[in-house]
Amino acid sequence: MEIVAMDELTAMMNRIRKEHSRSDCREEHECTKCNDIGFVVSVDENGREFACRCDCYEMRRTRELLQQSGISEEFCGKSFDNFDTGNIQQLDNAKSKARQYVTDFMRFEHEKRNSILFSGQVGAGKTHLGMAVCNELLNTHMVGVVYMSYRNVITEIKQTVMDKENYYAAIGRFCNARLLYIDDLLKGRSTEADLNILYELVNYRYMHNKPMVISTEKTPEALIGFDEAVGSRILEMCRGNIVILRGQELNYRLYS
C-alpha cells in the first residue's frame, strides 16, 4: 500500500477516525476495510500510526477515470479478447501492434513518438482496437483517458468560439487529457473553422508530448493532403505505430 506523506499526521488521523465513526452509521459499505473512505490507519513496527491508501483505492480510481472519460457502456466492453480477427493477417497484425503499444506505453508516454494511428478501411474494427487500447491502459495502469467523437466534439467546440472562456474550457479537456482518443478523425466535410480547432488541439498535444489514439478512414497520405501541418504532426507522433487496413473484405458490416 502507498504511504501518504503528511505534515500534520495527528490531524489527519483524527479526520480519518471521525469519518470512520460517521460511516459506521450506514448499514452497508462497498469496502468493509475502510468503510468507503479510501484510507486506513496502520501501525508500523515501532508502534507509530500512519495512513495508507486502502486496497480498494485502485478500483475506485479506475471507476472515477472511466466516468470522466466519456467512454460509453458499449465501448467499455471493447477488448483485445473479443476482437475477432477471423485469422485475417492484416487484422492479426493490427491486434498485435495495438497490444504492443499498450505494453510499451508507460516507457514512451512522455516521448515525442508516443501515439498510435488506426487508418483505412471502413468497418475493419479500428474503433474496437482503439477502445481496447484505452480500456486496457485505464484498467491496468489507471491511465486517464478522454474519448473524443471527432464530428460531435468539433461541432460542440465551434459553438463556443465567440466566448473565449467557454472555448478554452471546452477544448482544454481534450488538450490536457493524459491520453486522448480521437475517433473517426476528419469524418464528414471539414471547414476552415474545423481545421483551426483541430490544429490547436493537435499542436498543443504535439508540443507537450501528450499521447493520442486515433482512428480514421483517411490514409496517412490523405492526412497530409488535408493539411500538412496537422497531418505531419500526427504522423510524427505515431511513427512506428501506424496501422493501415486496406480492402473491402475487412468490412465486417458487409461480411459478418
Side-chain angles (χ1 to χ4, degrees), residues 5-16:
M6 297 171 292
D7 294 330
E8 300 177 354
L9 178 60
T10 302
M12 175 173 260
M13 294 300 167
N14 289 337
R15 286 197 299 270
I16 293 174

Side-chain angles (χ1 to χ4, degrees), residues 101-113:
Y101 176 81
V102 170
T103 299
D104 296 339
F105 181 84
M106 303 302 287
R107 174 176 58 80
F108 59 50
E109 177 183 358
H110 301 293
E111 298 177 3
K112 182 63 69 182
R113 298 173 183 174

Side-chain angles (χ1 to χ4, degrees), residues 3 42 60 69 84 88 164 166 173-174 221 229 246:
I3 298 178
S42 298
R60 290 176 180 278
S69 71
D84 183 8
I88 299 172
K164 285 189 176 181
N166 285 335
R173 177 169 182 255
F174 304 100
E221 296 79 11
R246 305 182 190 274

